[in-house]
């Protein structure tokens, strides 16, 4: 089972989420892929995620999280004991997202998206100061990320398997080249 967690103001329609979903379908594993629309509230997002994977043993579950979804995946991996592949993950979103308090729009639909001030405290409650089992993590980070500093990611996921892309961007525009290694880390490969 793979649970994909999208980033801030994003959706299951994001390029990375779609590519992972398409690959899972091509492997005949579409039923083992979940990518929900996450609510703006971090607390509600984590409740939804936990409900979706309730009863799935940790060794049968892998998380993929992009940006804010990487922050969420880290908290969930620590709580559940499963693997997590994090893609340009947010490390301290409480600081990064402070300027976005208020009403904006979602990236893929232009629907209103409200990020309330109390969500900053909800993010703080999910903080993982240090990962406990680096072998459970795979970091994919881009040096050209225009939103987050890849060096913070590399430091936060010290000891984990890491692939640092020279250049690229926050969206990891060339993500199609990395779907296979991300899924392989999650226990999914062409041989399955």
């Amino acid at each position: 089972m793979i649970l994909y967690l999208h980033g801030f103001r994003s959706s299951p329609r994001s390029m990375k989420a779609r590519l992972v979903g398409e690959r899972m379908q091509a492997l005949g594993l579409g039923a083992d892929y979940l990518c929900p629309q996450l609510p703006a509230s971090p607390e509600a997002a984590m409740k939804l995620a936990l409900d979706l994977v309730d009863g799935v043993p940790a060794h049968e579950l892998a998380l993929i999280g992009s940006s804010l979804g990487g922050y969420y995946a880290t908290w969930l991996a620590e709580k559940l004991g499963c693997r997590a592949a994090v893609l340009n993950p947010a490390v301290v979103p409480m600081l990064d997202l402070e300027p976005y308090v208020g009403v904006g729009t979602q990236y893929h639909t232009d629907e209103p998206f409200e990020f309330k001030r109390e969500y900053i405290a909800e993010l703080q409650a999910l903080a993982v100061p240090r990962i406990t089992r680096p072998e459970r993590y795979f970091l994919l980070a881009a040096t050209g990320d225009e939103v987050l500093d890849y060096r913070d990611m590399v430091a936060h996921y010290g000891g984990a398997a890491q692939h640092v892309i020279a250049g690229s961007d926050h969206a990891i525009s060339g993500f199609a080249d990395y779907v296979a290694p991300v899924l392989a880390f999650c226990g999914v490969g062409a041989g399955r």
Side-chain angles (χ1 to χ4, degrees):
M1 172 73 61
I2 291 183
L3 176 63
Y4 186 103
L5 303 166
H6 63 72
F8 182 70
R9 291 175 45 205
S10 191
S11 78
R13 297 181 193 170
S14 76
M15 175 262 302
K16 292 186 294 294
R18 284 185 294 110
L19 286 171
V20 172
E22 289 166 8
R23 183 70 179 138
M24 290 292 285
Q25 285 288 348
L27 292 169
L29 299 170
D32 292 331
Y33 178 66
L34 298 172
C35 183
Q37 177 64 57
L38 298 175
S41 160
E43 185 177 300
M46 292 303 86
K47 181 180 183 327
L48 173 63
L50 288 168
D51 287 348
L52 287 171
V53 300
D54 186 39
V56 179
H59 69 277
E60 293 180 14
L61 175 65
L63 309 168
I64 301 175
S66 175
S67 192
L68 181 59
Y71 182 79
Y72 290 158
T74 302
W75 181 82
L76 285 166
E78 292 293 320
K79 181 174 183 62
L80 301 174
C82 63
R83 289 168 287 180
V86 291
L87 319 172
N88 277 342
V91 174
V92 285
M94 300 73 71
L95 304 176
D96 301 326
L97 296 179
E98 180 73 34
Y100 295 95
V101 169
V103 178
T105 56
Q106 290 185 345
Y107 290 125
H108 305 103
T109 64
D110 289 330
E111 291 178 23
F113 179 90
E114 184 177 7
F115 190 72
K116 299 178 180 176
R117 181 152 307 281
E118 58 261 30
Y119 296 166
I120 299 293
E122 290 180 17
L123 285 171
Q124 183 61 50
L126 302 174
V128 175
R130 198 173 72 117
I131 58 173
T132 58
R133 303 258 317 273
E135 68 275 9
R136 284 198 312 236
Y137 294 90
F138 173 67
L139 169 68
L140 183 63
T143 64
D145 188 327
E146 70 283 7
V147 177
L148 302 170
D149 191 329
Y150 81 97
R151 292 169 293 201
D152 294 337
M153 303 170 202
V154 168
H156 189 69
Y157 294 92
Q162 299 187 359
H163 182 89
V164 178
I165 304 164
S168 191
D169 51 24
H170 186 63
I172 311 177
S173 297
F175 183 68
D177 296 336
Y178 302 100
V179 175
V182 166
L183 285 179
F185 175 80
C186 294
V188 175
R192 234 183 119 176

